[in-house]
Amino acid sequence: MNAPAIASPLLTDLYQLTMVTAYFELGFEQEAVFEFFVRELPPERGFLLAAGLQQVIEYLESLRFTPDDLDWLAATGRFKPAALERLGRLHFTGAVDAMPEGTAFFADEPILRVSAPLPEAQFVESRIINLLHFQTLIASKAARCRLAAGPRRLADFGMRRAHGAEAALFAARACYIAGFDSTATVAAGRAFDIELSGTMAHSFIQAHHDEAAAFADFARVHPRDVTLLLDTYDTRTAAARAVELVRAGTPVAAVRLDSGDLAALAREVRDILDRGGAGNVRIVASGNLDEHGIAALLEAGAPIDAFGVGTRLDASVDAPTLDCVYKLQEYAGQPRRKRSPGKATWPGRKQVWRNYGGDGRITRDVLGLVEEVRPGAALLQPVLRSGARVVELPGLAAIRRHAARELETLPAACRNLRAPAPLVAQVSPVLRALADSVDREFR
């Protein structure tokens, strides 16, 4: 089952409508090629993880203006009747090539290419960027949390800090792709078949007169995978009360620490649990964590079995945006190139070829034109032709497995959490020559 989507074509920028209706009137309707890529990685990232393709394809397949949409546009007084009539017939008839979701990539490497009549290819820009940017942003942050946590379990706790309902759903999906085990967002569990996880709030304990009674009541009402929150009052005392429940036969699965010196408290709680005969009870930590917090706790020897990660992940606090764009690279069979300082693009339809060393790690990526014959694995693959799928998109579990394999191929410098050094794609001589030719033509 797919997540609820905001399907209206009016979820776009005004200039998409003004450009498209101008293209209609002027007859600019030959094939255009646009590519989505990230100009430069944030300093905090040594790699990015592609995510959001499924939602892009669903958007393109369902793109239609309803009579209500057209009536509303007519009431704005901005558009001529003929233009509105053409919008009423607009749907996506083009081609899409893309990197599979979960693929690691670097700056200047297109992860999606759209080839379609110019009005179609232009109109979809805003929503494509909206969908790919967010999930790629969150998946890339979540992947770093997975690298930091190693085999320990990770749960997405970020819904309440996500920037809206759709963001909460897609963040849970992106986290799962990157290797998280579960989410606290119930709608995401239903939409994407992701395991749900959660504990209790401090308010449940505060609503009781006695903490021990609160623990016992919660375990009685929800005996499955009981996780007790220890830090409402005194964490050590609460840990001792958890031991008493275990001794009384209550199946306590885990305890959660959410504040204070998590490393020191985890060691103390582990000792209390072990000495009390509750050695099988796991310790879960949460509270403003991300990959750096997780790494610091584990480096300090904290005996933590699982982490709940929320605010800093779902808002990608250290790198809240990516410098991603969707740019015209060819029109009517002629290559096009933007030459703005700091924002120049490589012209033409491009492919990324990836090469690996004997250890399975990436040694180089080469950016070139699709017609080149080069060694390595071609990363962009056909997805749509004439508006219809030519491949079956993988399920979320398969995407997750692919992402895990991709993380294993990353060089150590890319995986580094504190001072990552991303790989820089080599640009083929053929592509450089084309760029020089376009510059001469338009100069």
Side-chain angles (χ1 to χ4, degrees), residues 142-306:
R144 286 164 55 84
C145 293
R146 171 44 68 200
L147 292 175
R152 296 162 188 84
R153 288 182 63 83
L154 290 170
D156 159 43
F157 281 3
M159 175 196 160
R160 63 187 62 190
R161 300 289 197 275
H163 296 176
E166 186 182 66
L169 286 169
F170 289 160
R173 181 181 188 273
C175 289
Y176 189 73
I177 287 172
F180 272 53
D181 299 284
S182 60
T183 180
T185 304
V186 177
R190 180 186 182 186
F192 304 121
D193 196 26
I194 300 173
E195 177 186 336
L196 293 176
S197 65
T199 59
M200 59 170 64
H202 295 291
S203 56
F204 184 86
I205 297 168
Q206 291 173 294
H208 286 72
H209 182 68
D210 177 78
E211 184 177 53
F215 286 171
D217 283 351
F218 190 84
R220 184 174 60 257
V221 175
H222 297 289
R224 175 181 171 181
D225 197 26
V226 177
T227 301
L228 304 175
L229 181 59
L230 298 187
D231 61 346
T232 303
Y233 304 120
D234 180 79
T235 300
R236 298 159 190 83
T237 301
R241 287 172 173 156
V243 167
E244 292 172 4
L245 277 179
V246 172
R247 286 176 172 174
T250 300
V252 177
V255 294
R256 179 161 71 100
L257 306 174
D258 191 55
S259 58
D261 184 338
L262 294 177
L265 287 171
R267 286 190 288 268
E268 293 185 61
V269 168
R270 183 76 273 160
D271 182 61
I272 293 169
L273 294 172
D274 291 347
R275 285 190 292 105
N280 291 331
V281 174
R282 303 186 308 275
I283 296 178
V284 180
S286 59
N288 209 29
L289 293 177
D290 64 2
E291 69 270 36
H292 299 295
I294 293 170
L297 287 169
L298 296 179
E299 288 169 4
I304 296 172
D305 304 291

Side-chain angles (χ1 to χ4, degrees), residues 361-383:
R361 299 289 177 91
I362 301 169
T363 55
R364 67 170 183 163
D365 281 1
V366 178
L367 181 65
L369 297 173
V370 292
E371 60 265 26
E372 295 185 51
V373 178
R374 306 197 64 85
L379 298 187
L380 278 84
Q381 300 296 321
V383 181

Side-chain angles (χ1 to χ4, degrees), residues 52-241:
L53 177 62
Q54 175 81 40
Q55 284 67 44
V56 167
I57 298 306
E58 291 169 356
Y59 162 70
L60 294 176
E61 291 173 334
S62 64
L63 179 61
R64 298 289 190 282
F65 282 85
T66 68
D68 284 347
D69 294 332
L70 298 173
D71 288 345
W72 186 87
L73 288 174
T76 69
R78 291 177 177 271
F79 304 100
K80 299 175 182 178
L84 294 173
E85 189 275 331
R86 286 296 307 276
L87 285 177
R89 292 188 277 123
L90 181 72
H91 63 283
F92 188 77
T93 65
V96 170
D97 294 80
M99 290 186 188
E101 288 195 82
T103 300
F105 71 99
F106 306 96
D108 279 337
E109 298 182 351
I111 68 169
L112 178 135
R113 179 172 62 249
V114 170
S115 309
L118 180 56
E120 297 174 27
Q122 178 70 71
F123 180 78
V124 299
E125 173 188 16
S126 295
R127 185 59 167 153
I128 284 179
I129 293 176
N130 174 254
L131 289 167
L132 292 180
H133 170 264
F134 180 72
Q135 288 200 57
T136 296
L137 178 75
I138 303 304
S140 303
K141 176 76 169 173
R144 286 164 55 84
C145 293
R146 171 44 68 200
L147 292 175
R152 296 162 188 84
R153 288 182 63 83
L154 290 170
D156 159 43
F157 281 3
M159 175 196 160
R160 63 187 62 190
R161 300 289 197 275
H163 296 176
E166 186 182 66
L169 286 169
F170 289 160
R173 181 181 188 273
C175 289
Y176 189 73
I177 287 172
F180 272 53
D181 299 284
S182 60
T183 180
T185 304
V186 177
R190 180 186 182 186
F192 304 121
D193 196 26
I194 300 173
E195 177 186 336
L196 293 176
S197 65
T199 59
M200 59 170 64
H202 295 291
S203 56
F204 184 86
I205 297 168
Q206 291 173 294
H208 286 72
H209 182 68
D210 177 78
E211 184 177 53
F215 286 171
D217 283 351
F218 190 84
R220 184 174 60 257
V221 175
H222 297 289
R224 175 181 171 181
D225 197 26
V226 177
T227 301
L228 304 175
L229 181 59
L230 298 187
D231 61 346
T232 303
Y233 304 120
D234 180 79
T235 300
R236 298 159 190 83
T237 301
R241 287 172 173 156

